[in-house]
Amino acid sequence: MKREAMGLLAGLMLGAQATAWGAGPASPTGPDTESVPGERKELTGRVLGASPGILYVESAHGPAVPLRVTHATRLAGRRIPREQSVEAFLRQSLPPGSPVRATFDVRTHPDGTPENVASTVDRP
């Protein structure tokens, strides 16, 4: 538990730095996003846990990476039903320890805060 908490804390503190793997074209801003599209990234790792709208993934490179998940995010090829909360869907579909592969955009808000917004999350 202590290792998991330290991994989450390190991921939150180093989130922007930890997302520097892989690159591709930016995607258009969707209805569930508030910021300008950023650089497309890919991450493979295992699920550490979920909180409202955030999936924490421990990358193969070490640190935990927080990924914002919305109803526009595709999980295993389908979208989260609007009538179900994102957190409940994540906890049910991706329990801690599940291996995942995610694609996401690193976006920067007007105040300079970076955020990782997941577009797809799949089990490899």
Side-chain angles (χ1 to χ4, degrees), residues 4 45-50 55-58 94-100 123-124:
E4 192 172 303
R46 68 180 183 90
V47 173
L48 290 176
L55 179 67
Y56 297 97
V57 177
E58 181 179 37
L94 298 169
S98 301
V100 293
R123 288 186 165 199

Side-chain angles (χ1 to χ4, degrees), residues 27-123:
S27 66
T29 302
D32 290 334
T33 60
E34 300 94 27
S35 60
V36 178
E39 193 174 350
R40 176 72 45 112
K41 307 283 184 177
E42 188 171 304
L43 172 69
T44 303
R46 68 180 183 90
V47 173
L48 290 176
S51 64
I54 304 291
L55 179 67
Y56 297 97
V57 177
E58 181 179 37
S59 73
H61 301 285
V65 178
L67 299 173
R68 180 169 175 235
V69 177
T70 67
H71 284 94
T73 304
R74 290 183 126 351
L75 280 96
R78 61 186 188 141
R79 295 198 188 273
I80 300 169
R82 287 274 177 196
E83 60 276 357
Q84 189 172 11
S85 77
V86 172
E87 180 182 12
F89 191 84
L90 289 174
R91 289 181 191 268
Q92 178 184 15
S93 301
L94 298 169
S98 301
V100 293
R101 182 179 59 241
T103 57
F104 59 97
D105 290 329
V106 179
R107 301 184 181 176
T108 304
H109 292 279
D111 67 356
T113 306
E115 182 176 45
N116 304 320
V117 181
S119 53
T120 63
V121 178
D122 296 306
R123 288 186 165 199

